[in-house]
Amino acid sequence: MSNRAWVLIMLLGLSASAGPKEKPPPPPPPPPASEPPERLGPNDIMHVILEHKPAIDECVQSQKARDPNASGRVVMKWIIRTDGETQDVECVSKESCKTVMAHCLTGIIKSWRFPRAKKQGDPIEFPFKF
């Protein structure tokens, strides 16, 4: 056997006797799922909101396309269930609830998923500027 062939065999992890190689041990099992927190904290909530900033920006752009001079804020309210899904999403700033922005935000917030928690927290009220 040439030196090159031997090096190639060694690099591939094969033995010169061409016998079967032992299989590596299976990977360890994944760690057990961590216990969810009692309630979500402000950082947990803000993290999910910031994760969706591109979609929020699209809502702003939709509002600006409809009315380039529009500006203000839309205050949205929602509940985060213990399974992380949102419910009862609504606009609470009456002066801007009929805007494209409010309608768009309602749709995207309904699709958000937050971390699980043992207990449902208080309703979230969050202002979005446009």
Side-chain angles (χ1 to χ4, degrees), residues 30-38 44 82 115-118:
S34 63
E35 190 79 15
E38 197 69 23
D44 299 316
T82 57
R116 294 178 177 269
K118 290 181 183 177

Short mmCIF file of all heavy atoms in Angstrom, two decimals, residues 30-38 44 82 115-118:
data_model
loop_
_atom_site.label_atom_id
_atom_site.label_comp_id
_atom_site.label_asym_id
_atom_site.label_seq_id
_atom_site.Cartn_x
_atom_site.Cartn_y
_atom_site.Cartn_z
N PRO A 30 -31.30 15.10 25.69
CA PRO A 30 -31.40 16.53 25.94
C PRO A 30 -31.71 16.79 27.40
O PRO A 30 -32.32 15.94 28.07
CB PRO A 30 -32.56 16.99 25.04
CG PRO A 30 -33.34 15.75 24.77
CD PRO A 30 -32.38 14.61 24.85
N PRO A 31 -31.29 17.94 27.90
CA PRO A 31 -31.58 18.23 29.31
C PRO A 31 -33.09 18.36 29.49
O PRO A 31 -33.81 18.71 28.55
CB PRO A 31 -30.88 19.57 29.56
CG PRO A 31 -30.68 20.16 28.21
CD PRO A 31 -30.59 19.01 27.25
N PRO A 32 -33.58 18.07 30.68
CA PRO A 32 -35.01 18.19 30.90
C PRO A 32 -35.47 19.64 30.69
O PRO A 32 -34.70 20.58 30.91
CB PRO A 32 -35.21 17.77 32.36
CG PRO A 32 -33.85 17.82 32.98
CD PRO A 32 -32.85 17.70 31.87
N ALA A 33 -36.69 19.79 30.22
CA ALA A 33 -37.22 21.14 29.98
C ALA A 33 -37.22 21.91 31.30
O ALA A 33 -37.56 21.38 32.35
CB ALA A 33 -38.64 21.05 29.44
N SER A 34 -36.79 23.14 31.19
CA SER A 34 -36.73 23.93 32.41
C SER A 34 -38.14 24.33 32.83
O SER A 34 -39.06 24.43 32.02
CB SER A 34 -35.86 25.18 32.19
OG SER A 34 -36.44 25.99 31.20
N GLU A 35 -38.28 24.52 34.08
CA GLU A 35 -39.55 24.92 34.67
C GLU A 35 -39.88 26.34 34.22
O GLU A 35 -39.03 27.22 34.29
CB GLU A 35 -39.40 24.87 36.19
CG GLU A 35 -40.66 25.03 36.96
CD GLU A 35 -41.49 23.75 37.02
OE1 GLU A 35 -40.99 22.67 36.70
OE2 GLU A 35 -42.66 23.89 37.38
N PRO A 36 -41.10 26.59 33.74
CA PRO A 36 -41.43 27.97 33.34
C PRO A 36 -41.46 28.87 34.57
O PRO A 36 -41.73 28.41 35.68
CB PRO A 36 -42.81 27.85 32.70
CG PRO A 36 -43.37 26.55 33.15
CD PRO A 36 -42.21 25.67 33.53
N PRO A 37 -41.23 30.16 34.36
CA PRO A 37 -41.27 31.08 35.50
C PRO A 37 -42.71 31.23 36.01
O PRO A 37 -43.68 30.89 35.31
CB PRO A 37 -40.77 32.40 34.91
CG PRO A 37 -41.09 32.30 33.46
CD PRO A 37 -40.95 30.85 33.11
N GLU A 38 -42.83 31.74 37.21
CA GLU A 38 -44.16 31.99 37.79
C GLU A 38 -44.96 32.92 36.87
O GLU A 38 -46.09 32.64 36.53
CB GLU A 38 -43.99 32.62 39.18
CG GLU A 38 -45.21 32.57 40.04
CD GLU A 38 -45.59 31.17 40.51
OE1 GLU A 38 -44.73 30.27 40.56
OE2 GLU A 38 -46.77 30.99 40.81
N ASP A 44 -38.88 39.68 29.41
CA ASP A 44 -39.43 38.61 28.56
C ASP A 44 -40.38 39.20 27.52
O ASP A 44 -40.36 38.83 26.35
CB ASP A 44 -40.21 37.59 29.40
CG ASP A 44 -39.35 36.90 30.44
OD1 ASP A 44 -38.23 36.49 30.10
OD2 ASP A 44 -39.82 36.76 31.59
N THR A 82 -50.91 31.51 29.72
CA THR A 82 -49.82 30.71 30.29
C THR A 82 -49.09 29.90 29.23
O THR A 82 -47.92 29.58 29.39
CB THR A 82 -50.34 29.76 31.39
OG1 THR A 82 -51.36 28.92 30.84
CG2 THR A 82 -50.89 30.54 32.57
N PRO A 115 -42.85 33.34 25.93
CA PRO A 115 -42.48 32.15 26.71
C PRO A 115 -43.65 31.71 27.61
O PRO A 115 -44.49 32.52 27.99
CB PRO A 115 -41.30 32.64 27.56
CG PRO A 115 -40.77 33.85 26.86
CD PRO A 115 -41.95 34.47 26.19
N ARG A 116 -43.66 30.46 27.93
CA ARG A 116 -44.69 29.93 28.84
C ARG A 116 -44.45 30.47 30.25
O ARG A 116 -43.32 30.80 30.61
CB ARG A 116 -44.64 28.41 28.88
CG ARG A 116 -45.02 27.78 27.57
CD ARG A 116 -44.90 26.26 27.65
NE ARG A 116 -45.34 25.66 26.42
CZ ARG A 116 -46.59 25.27 26.18
NH1 ARG A 116 -47.50 25.42 27.10
NH2 ARG A 116 -46.91 24.73 25.03
N ALA A 117 -45.50 30.51 31.03
CA ALA A 117 -45.40 30.90 32.44
C ALA A 117 -46.43 30.10 33.23
O ALA A 117 -47.41 29.60 32.66
CB ALA A 117 -45.65 32.40 32.61
N LYS A 118 -46.21 29.97 34.52
CA LYS A 118 -47.16 29.21 35.35
C LYS A 118 -48.47 29.97 35.54
O LYS A 118 -49.53 29.37 35.61
CB LYS A 118 -46.54 28.92 36.72
CG LYS A 118 -45.42 27.91 36.67
CD LYS A 118 -44.88 27.68 38.06
CE LYS A 118 -43.71 26.73 38.04
NZ LYS A 118 -43.14 26.56 39.37
#
